[in-house]
């Protein structure tokens, strides 16, 4: 394939009608322009210009034949470069955000609404999935930014900051009122029907690591795939649930559930804002990430 720069020189000479004027426009020497034209003519196997006393004129079966297509091609490339520059300087296009349903529901709504109000021209695409799924989506460039339960492992994803803290607690309904209003040894809960999130989640792994160090083993009676379903089961009295306090505040406020005050309490976890390492940051993404830097931890 012919070097694109040769076509740029050809186009400048054709527009200017002069080697000297084209050289001035391209900020190169006249001999360099002349040499580029000769090189292009050799590679294409045809004469592109007639050298006349009036200057450089396109040949009928050479220069004129390709001029229109070269003009269009260079315009397409110029448009493509402008699109990239615009993407880097103005919020446009689509912002793809990955997170779990619960993070979308309890952590991100205000930020997403604020961003949309500020940049209504940016289309926002919400991609739900577990934290491991979100990490994979980041690696495969299927989302631009992910919000994940910490900690995460691997070298392909960069957790830029912690945007929220989650306080895992045990909650129960009126059926287990004997647990209310007192300090409950954590091991005592092993004798109760337990509701827990499925095993492959960050919360479950963090809980197991914590209780293993204490010599306590929790065997759930019911494993669920979503926090909302666990809350519904706990409200109906099916067992004692273990989940982030931040996800069950409404039920605690209206008295449907209460927090079991365990000894010891469960470790605090974080939600991190993550991106793929080495990725390019378009302006739309920069502005979204900046909102969390300004707000700090929630």
């Amino acid at each position: 394939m012919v070097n694109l720069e040769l076509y740029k020189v050809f186009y400048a000479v054709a527009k200017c009608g002069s080697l000297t004027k084209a050289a001035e426009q391209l900020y190169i020497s006249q001999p360099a322009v002349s040499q580029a034209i000769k090189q292009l003519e050799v590679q294409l196997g045809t004469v592109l210009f007639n050298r006349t006393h009036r200057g450089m004129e396109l040949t009928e079966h050479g220069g004129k034949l390709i001029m229109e297509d070269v003009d269009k091609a260079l315009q397409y490339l110029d448009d493509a470069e402008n699109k990239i520059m615009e993407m880097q300087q103005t919020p446009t296009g689509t912002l793809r955000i990955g997170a779990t349903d619960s993070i979308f529901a309890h952590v991100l709504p205000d930020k997403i609404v604020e961003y949309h109000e500020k940049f209504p021209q940016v289309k926002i695409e919400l991609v739900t999935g577990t934290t491991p799924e979100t990490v994979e989506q980041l690696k495969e460039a299927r989302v631009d930014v992910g919000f994940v339960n910490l900690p995460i492992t691997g070298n392909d994803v960069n957790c830029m900051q912690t945007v929220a803290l989650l306080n895992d607690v045990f909650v129960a309904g009126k059926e287990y009122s004997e647990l209310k209003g007192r300090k409950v040894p954590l091991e005592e809960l092993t004798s109760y029907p337990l509701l827990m999130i499925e095993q492959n989640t960050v919360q479950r792994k963090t809980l197991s690591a914590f209780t293993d160090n204490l010599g306590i083993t929790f065997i759930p009676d019911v494993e669920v795939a979503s926090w909302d379903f666990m809350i519904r089961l706990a409200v109906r009295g099916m067992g004692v649930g273990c989940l982030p306090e931040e996800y069950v505040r409404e039920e605690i406020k209206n008295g449907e559930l209460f927090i079991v005050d365990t000894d010891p309490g469960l470790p605090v976890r974080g939600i991190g804002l993550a991106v793929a390492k080495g990725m390019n940051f378009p302006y739309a993404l920069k502005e979204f990430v900046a909102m969390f830097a300004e707000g700090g931890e929630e």
Side-chain angles (χ1 to χ4, degrees), residues 31-288:
V33 173
S34 181
Q35 182 60 36
I37 295 300
K38 289 179 181 179
Q39 186 178 346
L40 182 60
E41 288 178 329
V42 168
Q43 292 192 35
L44 294 179
T46 188
V47 177
L48 299 173
F49 290 97
N50 290 318
R51 282 76 170 170
T52 72
H53 66 279
R54 294 188 301 273
M56 303 291 284
E57 295 180 352
L58 293 170
T59 59
E60 193 68 31
H61 300 293
K64 288 184 178 179
L65 191 65
I66 68 170
M67 180 59 184
E68 184 178 349
D69 289 334
V70 171
D71 188 359
K72 289 180 181 178
L74 293 178
Q75 185 60 53
Y76 287 145
L77 290 172
D78 192 45
D79 291 344
E81 290 178 356
N82 289 336
K83 287 178 181 178
I84 294 296
M85 292 179 63
E86 183 180 351
M87 182 182 69
Q88 300 294 344
Q89 298 172 7
T90 58
T92 58
T94 300
L95 177 64
R96 301 168 301 169
I97 307 170
T100 66
D101 286 329
S102 297
I103 292 176
F104 277 129
H106 299 282
V107 178
L108 298 179
D110 291 343
K111 292 293 187 184
I112 291 175
V113 170
E114 179 184 346
Y115 182 84
H116 176 66
E117 291 175 346
K118 189 175 182 181
F119 304 114
Q121 67 273 32
V122 177
K123 178 183 176 182
I124 299 175
E125 183 178 331
L126 306 182
V127 183
T128 61
T130 64
T131 283
E133 290 171 344
T134 298
V135 170
E136 287 303 311
Q137 289 162 354
L138 285 168
K139 292 178 182 178
E140 298 170 4
R142 287 186 283 138
V143 296
D144 303 305
V145 60
F147 293 85
V148 296
N149 288 292
L150 300 176
I152 57 173
T153 58
N155 297 321
D156 298 322
V157 173
N158 177 31
C159 183
M160 299 182 64
Q161 67 181 101
T162 299
V163 298
L165 297 178
L166 297 179
N167 297 274
D168 286 328
V169 294
F170 285 93
V171 297
K174 59 182 182 298
E175 291 81 3
Y176 305 99
S177 58
E178 70 275 11
L179 296 172
K180 192 174 184 178
R182 66 183 178 91
K183 207 75 167 175
V184 179
L186 196 57
E187 189 171 10
E188 184 179 333
L189 294 181
T190 59
S191 62
Y192 283 82
L194 296 176
L195 311 174
M196 291 189 172
I197 202 72
E198 55 193 6
Q199 290 187 13
N200 66 337
T201 59
V202 173
Q203 192 263 7
R204 186 70 180 278
K205 292 176 181 177
T206 302
L207 177 65
S208 295
F210 177 69
T211 55
D212 286 348
N213 287 332
L214 299 175
I216 300 173
T217 300
F218 286 127
I219 301 176
D221 290 75
V222 180
E223 285 187 340
V224 298
S226 76
W227 299 118
D228 289 339
F229 188 46
M230 181 189 296
I231 293 171
R232 291 172 62 185
L233 295 181
V235 169
R236 297 294 296 270
M238 281 194 64
V240 178
C242 181
L243 75 167
E245 178 183 350
E246 290 74 12
Y247 296 173
V248 73
R249 282 174 174 162
E250 186 64 28
E251 289 75 15
I252 292 172
K253 182 179 179 180
N254 63 29
E256 292 180 287
L257 296 172
F258 64 89
I259 295 176
V260 180
D261 186 11
T262 61
D263 182 23
L266 301 182
V268 175
R269 297 183 293 113
I271 293 175
L273 183 157
V275 296
K277 285 189 176 179
M279 75 165 296
N280 181 43
F281 272 64
Y283 192 83
L285 178 57
K286 287 180 183 177
E287 288 295 312
F288 185 67

